[in-house]
Amino acid sequence: MSLAKWTVGLMAGMSMLAFAAQANAGEVRVTVAEYSAKTGPYFDSVKKEFEAANPGITVKFEVVPWEVLLQKLTTDITAGTNADLSIIGTRWLIDFVQQDVAEPLDSYIKPDFKDRFIDTFLSPSIMDGKTYGLPIAASARAMYYNKELFEKAGIANPPANWTELQEDARKIKALGSGTFGFGLQGKEIETDVYYYYAMWSQGTEILNKDGTSGLGTPGALEAAKLYKSMIDEGLTEPGVTSNNREDVQNLFKQGKVGMMITAPFLSNQIKDEAPNLKYGVAAIPAGPTGARGTYGVTDSIIMFKNSKNKDEAWKLLDFLFTTEQRAKFTQGEGFLPVNKEEAKMDYYVNNADLAAFTALLPDARFAPIIPGWEEVAQITSDAMQKIYLGGDPEAGLKDAAAKANAVLKK
Amino acid sequence: MQNRFLPYLLTLPSLFLAAVVIFWPVWDLIQISTHEVSRFGQLREFNDFANFTALLADPDFMAALWRTGQWTVLVVGGALLLSIPVAMILNTDFYGRGIARVLIMLPWAVSLTMTAVVWRWALSGESGMLNSALIGLGLIDHNIQWLASAETAFPMQVLIGILVTVPFTTTIFLGGLSSIPDDLYEAAALEGATPLQQFREITFPLLKPFINIAIVLNTIYVFNSFPIIWVMTQGGPANSTDILVTHLYKLAFRIGKLGEASAVSLVMFAILLVFTMIYVRLAMREQRA
């Protein structure tokens, strides 16, 4: 038998296997990211309620840890066995649109449906005038500070800018007993973002106006020097490059870190794990000109072009974005409301922590919508780790800017 | 007539299985690595081995290649050096040998990923067990940030690699030792051979086939081993603990360069294939001589 015949035979066998795994009519398969231990139970209850209200449609949720979500989607799409709907990081959306695997939702979206959303959060999912995803989760970053440490160190208010932050960190360091002024994240996901907070406050953006990388600008250098000087002076926790976001959050929960920048879900964690910790949430420090920036993130739920049950899938989307369902999900996970009606609920209005986050939204930057963004982010994280380990900021940034520009030019 | 075809007929089922689980993915990898490929694996045009030349020009790949060599040699060598005495001790009869054997085998029973997660916690700078133990013993006076830089992280990863490779290697050697008849030692002792001479002249030569098996199998496992390095440092900081598998994973699933990742995968396959062939050749020639 010739090789071609073998290949055809194998392909046929494989496609039969794949066919067996395909959904039956009326079944909607959804890949969802596991944000916390509450994610699985939430989608279980969605399945029950939705199936009871819509006889004839069955829903199957595949809950996947966030770290392996992109890997699963890549392999599923390559094999053609992807679900009907999936949660994705909105920053990946451009790849899905360019590769023509995401279905535009505009034919389903009625004006009153669109009106449910807060524009800031819906707009990242819109590309070339078409809505390819709906923001299922939204988050921003703000600065948490430990009120008890601040009081002990004789600091009245959270720092408004980076100079004040350095002074406060010095005072907290002076308390001794294993306390660190500023928690600096230097490992794994969002290592680059932690650096952008300082960079944005210098008025530098991730991409310059001409589309080149901002890493080569004087503002980027100032920001890197700021963090490096804080490490050298011992104002951060030691071993910055061994601490990912969760590690720094744990130090904060243990009361060892004076200040750190992270997402609203830390409030939920503190409530559960360290209820006696006295903390406040404040704006991200500003730079010399008063510029500041926070990182805005949304995850979108998208419909795949090859879905065989698009109408049923849309019904599920419509259900997921009702005010009641949104409130249940958002409050459980500690995200920000994306739904206008939901945002008016007492839970959000009377919540001082969340108010600090929503106040920062006008300064929010979302990940730039460019192909190759993940690679640029990786280049930036690598460059920062080298600098945090003692490398020269100027040389490191120059090298990173060149690498990033090579990616951006493609 | 029948005799000539029978062997082929008998190997056919396993050949078919191998075709499905080995040849087909490798064929697929060759396809992906020699073509321009989309983010989600759709093949485009043939691209003149651009994925392979891109690898050679990538300093991160070359560094990972070199580090993979160090990683494999150190872990396989270390496990070998440790396992021979351990197996010899466990082969002697002593009180509590059963418990000792279980203790040595225990790391094998725990999933590699879980072992790595536990060590990641243990090596945490501020709240890790290792630092508090060392401080408690008075060996250090301030916390060591084990995973903060490659200088401390990589040696620790190698040590953990050795630790989890020892059980399997010891098992092979225990099997080997039990196949050496006791009368050889008795005869040697009668002739006045010292324990060292007994080891050099009897134990080691007779254990050699087992050592060869251990080297080949361990090299393949360790060369491809992903969890320890990924869980503890993800190949970081700044790619300084990357080996080829972690480099490949980042290329494929973070950055989305499936073509280059497939090329790395093929390079790894080729290295292991060549190593195994050369090694098996050498080992067999030695045995025949």
Side-chain angles (χ1 to χ4, degrees):
Chain A
M1 219 189 270
S2 73
L3 186 66
K5 272 188 188 162
W6 270 106
T7 317
V8 170
L10 275 171
M11 288 296 187
M14 290 294 148
S15 58
M16 267 161 72
L17 283 176
F19 188 73
Q22 280 275 317
N24 313 314
E27 188 185 68
V28 181
R29 279 167 63 220
V30 193
T31 307
V32 296
E34 184 171 37
Y35 295 103
S36 73
K38 289 175 183 162
T39 314
Y42 166 74
F43 283 109
D44 283 345
S45 77
V46 168
K47 178 181 160 67
K48 264 188 218 132
E49 290 172 41
F50 181 76
E51 285 177 355
N54 296 276
I57 306 180
T58 49
V59 186
K60 210 169 130 196
F61 286 106
E62 305 164 343
V63 185
V64 183
W66 178 253
E67 294 76 39
V68 296
L69 179 61
L70 187 56
Q71 180 204 339
K72 180 186 162 52
L73 290 173
T74 309
T75 41
D76 281 0
I77 294 167
T78 308
T81 56
N82 53 280
D84 300 289
L85 300 169
S86 177
I87 292 183
I88 65 165
T90 307
R91 60 185 181 279
W92 308 334
L93 185 60
I94 187 163
D95 282 336
F96 286 71
V97 171
Q98 283 187 342
Q99 306 293 336
D100 204 29
V101 292
E103 175 80 17
L105 301 172
D106 302 270
S107 59
Y108 298 99
I109 296 177
K110 306 252 159 53
D112 68 308
F113 182 86
K114 193 168 190 168
D115 203 43
R116 291 185 204 169
F117 292 93
I118 296 171
D119 275 343
T120 322
F121 292 130
L122 184 59
S123 55
S125 311
I126 300 176
M127 246 161 253
D128 302 327
K130 287 183 191 157
T131 312
Y132 285 97
L134 300 171
I136 187 104
S139 187
R141 309 287 180 254
M143 193 177 71
Y144 284 74
Y145 63 99
N146 183 321
K147 283 186 174 165
E148 220 163 272
L149 288 180
F150 267 56
E151 204 175 296
K152 264 193 218 160
I155 311 164
N157 295 309
N161 55 49
W162 288 99
T163 323
E164 284 180 33
L165 182 137
Q166 278 173 291
E167 280 163 22
D168 294 349
R170 271 180 211 119
K171 287 178 193 159
I172 292 169
K173 184 197 173 195
L175 293 175
S177 66
T179 52
F180 315 113
F182 182 60
L184 181 57
Q185 179 199 332
K187 189 179 180 184
E188 294 170 10
I189 188 171
E190 285 194 17
T191 297
D192 57 323
V193 174
Y194 219 93
Y195 161 70
Y196 301 144
Y197 303 132
M199 194 181 83
W200 285 324
S201 71
Q202 297 288 336
T204 297
E205 300 296 328
I206 296 173
L207 297 180
N208 298 325
K209 287 210 174 71
D210 59 2
T212 55
S213 165
L215 292 177
T217 63
L221 181 61
E222 273 315 303
K225 277 185 179 163
L226 170 77
Y227 277 179
K228 188 170 188 307
S229 76
M230 290 180 69
I231 294 173
D232 292 345
E233 216 186 314
L235 301 181
T236 67
E237 85 280 5
V240 166
T241 47
S242 63
N243 291 313
N244 67 7
R245 182 169 69 193
E246 277 62 42
D247 294 327
V248 184
Q249 284 178 355
N250 285 338
L251 288 174
F252 187 83
K253 283 180 240 173
Q254 292 160 8
K256 290 181 179 172
V257 155
M259 301 164 265
M260 83 166 292
I261 300 170
T262 189
F265 50 63
L266 180 61
S267 301
N268 287 23
Q269 292 180 17
I270 292 174
K271 212 191 298 167
D272 291 341
E273 296 165 34
N276 295 324
L277 188 78
K278 292 194 187 72
Y279 71 95
V281 184
I284 286 170
T289 60
R292 76 170 101 229
T294 186
Y295 185 53
V297 194
T298 64
D299 290 341
S300 299
I301 186 160
I302 63 161
M303 191 189 286
F304 284 102
K305 214 156 209 170
N306 62 0
S307 162
K308 300 242 163 25
N309 302 307
K310 287 183 182 147
D311 292 332
E312 288 88 347
W314 176 257
K315 269 192 187 152
L316 178 64
L317 286 182
D318 192 38
F319 180 77
L320 282 175
F321 285 94
T322 54
T323 309
E324 186 196 343
Q325 287 301 324
R326 288 277 70 207
K328 222 164 120 186
F329 177 75
T330 311
Q331 293 172 16
E333 303 288 359
F335 289 132
L336 298 179
V338 296
N339 185 311
K340 284 181 197 158
E341 286 303 312
E342 184 196 359
K344 288 180 196 152
M345 292 170 78
D346 285 347
Y347 177 88
Y348 304 102
V349 177
N350 300 329
N351 188 324
D353 289 3
L354 285 180
F357 284 95
T358 34
L360 276 172
L361 284 180
D363 293 316
R365 268 85 158 172
F366 292 84
I369 301 169
I370 48 168
W373 164 242
E374 290 291 331
E375 193 172 0
V376 174
Q378 183 75 46
I379 290 168
T380 313
S381 290
D382 288 349
M384 284 309 120
Q385 288 186 323
K386 277 186 197 149
I387 293 170
Y388 297 162
L389 281 170
D392 173 42
E394 199 164 356
L397 282 173
K398 215 174 132 192
D399 179 49
K403 280 186 194 161
N405 283 332
V407 175
L408 292 169
K409 238 183 252 162
K410 276 181 199 163
Chain B
M1 191 68 197
Q2 198 193 8
N3 278 349
R4 253 167 81 197
F5 277 112
L6 194 61
Y8 294 103
L9 208 65
L10 288 176
T11 49
L12 203 64
S14 51
L15 195 70
F16 178 73
L17 263 181
V20 174
V21 300
I22 301 172
F23 302 151
W24 184 58
V26 170
W27 173 245
D28 224 29
L29 275 179
I30 295 174
Q31 295 274 320
I32 297 177
S33 64
T34 50
H35 288 70
E36 179 118 2
V37 64
S38 84
R39 180 74 183 75
F40 297 115
Q42 279 104 347
L43 293 185
R44 306 245 170 87
E45 67 271 29
F46 180 78
N47 68 353
D48 289 331
F49 300 100
N51 291 323
F52 289 90
T53 40
L55 287 186
L56 293 178
D58 180 2
D60 285 340
F61 169 77
M62 298 312 277
L65 183 65
W66 169 231
R67 203 169 297 107
T68 310
Q70 294 175 308
W71 161 256
T72 312
V73 169
L74 289 173
V75 173
V76 174
L80 212 64
L81 288 180
L82 209 63
S83 297
I84 294 178
V86 167
M88 285 172 67
I89 293 168
L90 287 182
N91 197 43
T92 58
D93 206 8
F94 62 90
Y95 186 71
R97 183 173 77 163
I99 295 174
R101 280 191 172 179
V102 170
L103 279 180
I104 294 286
M105 298 301 147
L106 220 46
W108 203 6
V110 182
S111 103
L112 205 48
T113 312
M114 274 326 290
T115 311
V117 169
V118 169
W119 275 102
R120 180 179 170 148
W121 290 338
L123 293 175
S124 154
E126 293 312 305
S127 38
M129 236 167 42
L130 188 65
N131 273 342
S132 36
L134 290 177
I135 287 183
L137 291 171
L139 292 175
I140 51 173
D141 55 1
H142 64 279
N143 286 333
I144 297 176
Q145 308 297 328
W146 295 101
L147 300 180
S149 71
E151 284 87 65
T152 45
F154 193 60
M156 287 318 277
Q157 288 166 333
V158 168
L159 284 180
I160 295 161
I162 292 174
L163 185 79
V164 299
T165 312
V166 161
F168 173 69
T169 320
T170 308
T171 311
I172 294 182
F173 292 164
L174 273 176
L177 288 173
S178 64
S179 74
I180 303 176
D182 280 341
D183 27 347
L184 284 180
Y185 293 104
E186 281 163 21
L190 276 178
E191 300 287 337
T194 63
L196 188 69
Q197 279 172 326
Q198 288 184 15
F199 175 78
R200 278 221 321 254
E201 303 299 330
I202 302 173
T203 314
F204 190 69
L206 288 175
L207 212 51
K208 232 174 182 177
F210 297 90
I211 295 177
N212 285 335
I213 292 175
I215 289 179
V216 172
L217 291 182
N218 277 337
T219 302
I220 295 172
Y221 294 148
V222 172
F223 189 87
N224 283 325
S225 175
F226 178 72
I228 295 175
I229 289 186
W230 186 257
V231 167
M232 289 170 65
T233 59
Q234 295 196 353
N239 305 321
S240 55
T241 58
D242 253 334
I243 58 171
L244 287 176
V245 226
T246 55
H247 181 67
L248 175 160
Y249 186 88
K250 281 192 241 182
L251 271 180
F253 299 117
R254 269 231 184 119
I255 301 176
K257 290 181 173 170
L258 292 184
E260 276 181 45
S262 304
V264 176
S265 181
L266 278 180
V267 169
M268 292 176 63
F269 181 69
I271 293 175
L272 279 182
L273 199 66
V274 169
F275 162 80
T276 315
M277 277 177 357
I278 293 177
Y279 193 85
V280 170
R281 242 322 132 79
L282 287 179
M284 280 169 93
R285 185 189 298 162
E286 218 169 78
Q287 270 175 26
R288 240 179 270 132

